[in-house]
Amino acid sequence: MTKKVNKIGVLTSGGDSPGMNAAIRAVVRTGIYHGLEVFGISHGYAGMLAGEIEPMESRSVANIIQRGGTILKTARCKEFMTPEGRKAAYANLQKHGIDGLVIIGGDGSFRGAQVFSNEFDIPCIGLPGTIDKDIAGTDFTIGFDTAVNTAVEAIDKIRDTADAHDRLFIIEVMGRDAGYIALHSGIATGAENILIPERKTNVEEIVRSLDEKSKRKKLVNMIIVAEGDDFGGANELSSYINKNLPELETRVCILGHIQRGGSPSCLDRVIASRMGYHAVECLIEGKHNVFVGILNNKMNYTPLNEAVKKKQKINEEWMNIVKILAS
Ligand code: ADP
């Protein structure tokens, strides 16, 4: 028989993403609606270890749906990787009688939740909060849409100045292990080429193509590079191109952390609200150790242990679209 859940904790962990606040709000208010006590745990697993656990009311989450970042703060926590650390974290949950957890974070945070729930028999429900979109089992992750729109807005501005000077711009976007921000923002801004960690980069081919385009006077070019590309970031690519095509005027722009911040898009607010609502429903129904995703516009529940194994795959057709549309 499933144990009834009475007191739940919610935390944000790992890299932050816009829309985490909307998810917190949904969890808190759905929990209260169902008569549960809801606790906010600050600074992710680090706060669980340090006992940063406070009760939350409906009003605690007023006026946050439109704000980026996370009111609960986030952190990375090495101690949680150790059995002793997790034991101390569990003891703190017990002090408050917390018998269910909602973890908003990326695949690393899900890995932590999986290990923790196996050791202490506490149901954990994950919500995919990551700008990288690199979690299989969901079409959306909270924050991706906002991040990619921020990148597109910035790249559009760069295109204006690139066009004015007939320059080649190499723009680096976030994505240490995943190329989704590069792929989507590159297609949306008409980039010449997109370099992503999931594919081997052929720099000779890039130089050949730039040379050919410059010969036929196609001078405005933008290349989008994900920070984790195997050849290196935008600076490495720029040096290589400068060496091989010294006549091209090349500039580098690294977009950096602006991609993490800002007011979440409508899409991110809506998916965060739906996922947060369903996370609490999961705990009430006795679902254990799954993350809540949305696939084909339906809620989809993936066991945490599967989520941490699989990554989304880049569709090769998308790369072909980039190539054809950039000619
Ligand atoms: P993200 O959730 O954004 O992928 P991280 O990979 O940094 O971020 O993971 C966040 C935190 O999750 C880590 O700092 C750590 O506390 C916890 N965590 C990650 N992997 C494990 C693991 N194998 N065992 C226990 N805790 C883990």
Side-chain angles (χ1 to χ4, degrees), residues 145 264-271:
D145 185 63
S265 67
C266 173
L267 178 67
D268 277 332
R269 295 181 203 190
V270 172
I271 61 162

Side-chain angles (χ1 to χ4, degrees), residues 136-138 290-295 298-302:
T138 185
V290 293
F291 90 83
V292 181
I294 300 176
L295 262 186
K298 289 206 177 66
M299 303 320 290
N300 186 60
Y301 306 100
T302 307

Side-chain angles (χ1 to χ4, degrees), residues 34-257:
H34 284 294
L36 306 180
E37 279 182 55
V38 186
F39 292 84
I41 302 168
S42 298
H43 297 104
Y45 296 127
M48 224 158 107
L49 263 133
E52 295 178 53
I53 303 172
E54 296 290 336
M56 295 186 90
E57 311 295 336
S58 189
R59 291 292 93 202
S60 321
V61 290
N63 199 20
I64 63 166
I65 195 167
Q66 77 286 16
R67 281 167 55 193
T70 156
I71 58 161
L72 288 176
K73 312 277 183 171
T74 184
R76 295 196 160 91
C77 177
K78 279 218 179 95
E79 275 173 278
F80 197 76
M81 307 270 213
T82 67
E84 300 74 41
R86 291 191 293 273
K87 202 169 159 195
Y90 184 63
N92 283 331
L93 295 186
Q94 279 188 311
K95 275 185 209 159
H96 295 275
I98 294 173
D99 47 19
L101 279 181
V102 178
I103 295 102
I104 308 166
D107 60 337
S109 302
F110 288 0
R111 218 167 293 131
Q114 167 72 13
V115 175
F116 189 65
S117 66
N118 282 344
E119 282 174 350
F120 297 105
D121 191 28
I122 181 159
C124 292
I125 305 294
L127 295 187
T130 164
I131 62 168
D132 290 331
K133 204 173 95 79
D134 58 344
I135 298 181
T138 185
D139 291 332
F140 306 103
T141 62
I142 300 164
F144 172 75
D145 185 63
T146 308
V148 84
N149 275 297
T150 302
V152 165
E153 209 182 311
I155 297 167
D156 281 346
K157 289 178 179 159
I158 293 167
R159 180 185 269 278
D160 289 345
T161 168
D163 182 55
H165 289 275
D166 291 333
R167 274 178 183 148
L168 167 65
F169 261 88
I170 300 169
I171 301 155
E172 185 176 304
V173 297
M174 279 189 162
R176 250 186 322 215
D177 305 305
Y180 286 98
I181 295 182
L183 191 58
H184 285 239
S185 65
I187 290 178
T189 56
E192 287 307 310
N193 217 319
I194 297 168
L195 278 53
I196 55 175
E198 292 88 342
R199 288 181 110 239
K200 181 129 193 56
T201 292
N202 183 343
V203 268
E204 289 87 17
E205 174 59 33
I206 292 171
V207 167
R208 247 193 320 274
S209 158
L210 288 172
D211 193 30
E212 182 269 319
K213 279 173 183 159
S214 93
K215 285 193 176 111
R216 62 178 159 95
K217 302 275 176 262
K218 184 175 192 271
L219 296 171
V220 187
N221 285 311
M222 294 187 310
I223 298 178
I224 313 295
V225 187
E227 61 183 324
D229 182 66
D230 64 299
F231 184 75
N235 282 317
E236 285 80 7
L237 182 65
S238 167
S239 318
Y240 187 87
I241 292 173
N242 282 340
K243 232 179 274 154
N244 288 280
L245 297 170
E247 67 283 5
L248 277 194
E249 242 203 290
T250 308
R251 294 286 185 278
V252 166
C253 184
I254 296 173
L255 297 188
H257 281 79

